[in-house]
Amino acid sequence: MNAPIVSFNHVGKTFDVDGFELEAIREFNLDIAEGEFVAIVGSSGCGKSTLLRLLVGLDRQFRGQISVDGKAVTGIGGERGIVFQEHRLFPWLSVADNIGLGLVNEPLSAAQKHKRIHDFIELVGLGDFARAYPHQLSGGMAQRVAIARGLVASPRILLLDEPFGALDALTRQQMQDELLAIRARAKITTVLVTHDVEEAIFLADRVVVMEPRPGRIKQVVDIALPHPRHRSSFDFHQLREELLHELTSDGHYQPPVPVQVRDLPLSFIAY
Ligand SMILES: Nc1ncnc2c1ncn2[C@@H]1O[C@H](COP(=O)(O)OP(=O)(O)O)[C@@H](O)[C@H]1O
Ligand SMILES: [Mg+2]
């Protein structure tokens, strides 16, 4: 295998909660190849979001090492884009301006930024909505804006934290198809966090199954099915049973709690 683009080495994370130590992640080791699509599944609280925050560079207090292209992660960087579960759009900014936030740290002229933003609005199929505001969008459209914002700086690694969790089942499947189409056009390494086993099997090359308290890897499963994948096929069904069994066999699995899509509090400063 070529040198991995992302490498987690003996990564651990402990939070201090009211003077008590909460071990959120223990001994997480994973190499991700360039262009690979890795899904991380596990019940609520097993450290999935924490792992992505560490990889994107939003939290630098952890044990072990995380490297991207062989260099230790020390902060956020344009080669890593992230999309959160709640779309976190700013209600007072238009679609174009929300996407433009993904370019604030990029050394581009205003004209270059304008072109880039509009290319990505087209890419996610929102050509008629550049001037619309978040309250004028459906949940699926808002999530597409968030994906465009995650992609607009042309990251080589896209991190997705339960990006479709708040969408209805049909929109969710459409967004999964679109994500695969975007990836087919832009060869981008993708790390998707999800609690949805079916979503993981539909999209990923490899699925990392986590177990909670403390969050650690239980199993890594290769998904060797060719694309396009069919949710009703025998192989798909068998993998789903296998993964669900892994997730539930220790009795820890908690089914996901539905999340409300809501706007970002003013305090959010990552973009
Ligand atoms: N900022 C924080 N301070 C204290 N504890 C936290 C913080 N963020 C996450 N945790 C705890 O770490 C564990 C893992 O959380 P998280 O990564 O959000 O899990 P997941 O995304 O898998 O649901 C949970 O027990 C959670 O309560
Ligand atoms: Mg989470």
Side-chain angles (χ1 to χ4, degrees):
M1 174 166 128
N2 295 330
I5 184 169
V6 172
S7 185
F8 290 89
N9 277 304
H10 305 291
V11 171
K13 171 76 188 173
T14 300
F15 289 105
D16 180 358
V17 183
D18 292 334
F20 290 95
E21 293 204 330
L22 188 147
E23 190 181 9
I25 294 166
R26 177 184 291 178
E27 265 300 295
F28 189 89
N29 291 292
L30 184 71
D31 283 347
I32 300 173
E34 174 118 51
E36 199 180 8
F37 194 135
V38 170
I40 301 176
V41 300
S43 62
S44 164
C46 71
K48 305 182 297 297
S49 296
T50 302
L51 278 168
L52 286 196
R53 287 177 57 80
L54 298 182
L55 175 55
V56 83
L58 289 171
D59 183 347
R60 293 161 62 177
Q61 304 294 314
F62 59 94
R63 297 181 295 280
Q65 252 217 340
I66 303 174
S67 40
V68 170
D69 272 335
K71 290 192 224 62
V73 168
T74 56
I76 59 174
E79 82 288 354
R80 283 159 286 145
I82 189 161
V83 178
F84 297 97
Q85 171 167 16
E86 304 157 39
H87 57 69
R88 302 192 181 192
L89 302 182
F90 289 95
W92 60 90
L93 293 180
S94 68
V95 163
D97 290 341
N98 266 291
I99 295 173
L101 290 174
L103 289 177
V104 285
N105 293 320
E106 299 301 301
L108 299 172
S109 70
Q112 286 170 321
K113 285 188 179 178
H114 182 85
K115 174 161 190 327
R116 189 79 83 78
I117 290 164
H118 285 270
D119 286 349
F120 278 87
I121 290 176
E122 292 294 334
L123 182 78
V124 295
L126 290 174
D128 295 334
F129 290 87
R131 290 156 181 272
Y133 285 84
H135 75 271
Q136 296 168 311
L137 306 176
S138 68
M141 290 159 79
Q143 208 49 357
R144 279 188 237 181
V145 177
I147 289 173
R149 184 175 59 190
L151 286 169
V152 72
S154 297
R156 292 171 57 215
I157 307 166
L158 181 64
L159 310 177
L160 301 154
D161 193 354
E162 311 215 20
F164 313 138
L167 304 177
D168 63 83
L170 199 64
T171 311
R172 192 180 174 95
Q173 290 195 6
Q174 283 170 355
M175 297 288 293
Q176 291 166 356
D177 289 337
E178 275 180 40
L179 178 61
L180 286 179
I182 289 169
R183 271 181 48 85
R185 274 172 277 165
K187 280 281 169 220
I188 188 167
T189 306
T190 308
V191 183
L192 168 81
V193 158
T194 179
H195 51 240
D196 181 343
V197 165
E198 190 169 306
E199 178 166 280
I201 301 170
F202 187 71
L203 295 170
D205 301 321
R206 261 193 310 161
V207 178
V208 176
V209 180
M210 301 277 295
E211 58 185 325
R213 287 184 288 279
R216 67 221 119 108
I217 293 180
K218 186 170 195 191
Q219 210 194 346
V220 180
V221 180
D222 286 318
I223 310 295
L225 306 177
H227 288 280
R229 293 176 178 167
H230 301 284
R231 291 178 175 83
S232 54
S233 76
F234 178 76
D235 290 342
F236 198 107
H237 181 76
Q238 225 176 16
L239 274 166
R240 185 172 54 206
E241 292 301 303
E242 187 187 320
L243 281 174
L244 276 173
H245 179 75
E246 275 305 317
L247 275 171
T248 54
S249 57
D250 56 11
H252 279 317
Y253 184 70
Q254 298 167 351
V257 181
V259 172
Q260 293 290 315
V261 173
R262 59 184 131 87
D263 289 317
L264 174 68
L266 282 169
S267 57
F268 181 65
I269 45 103
Y271 279 100

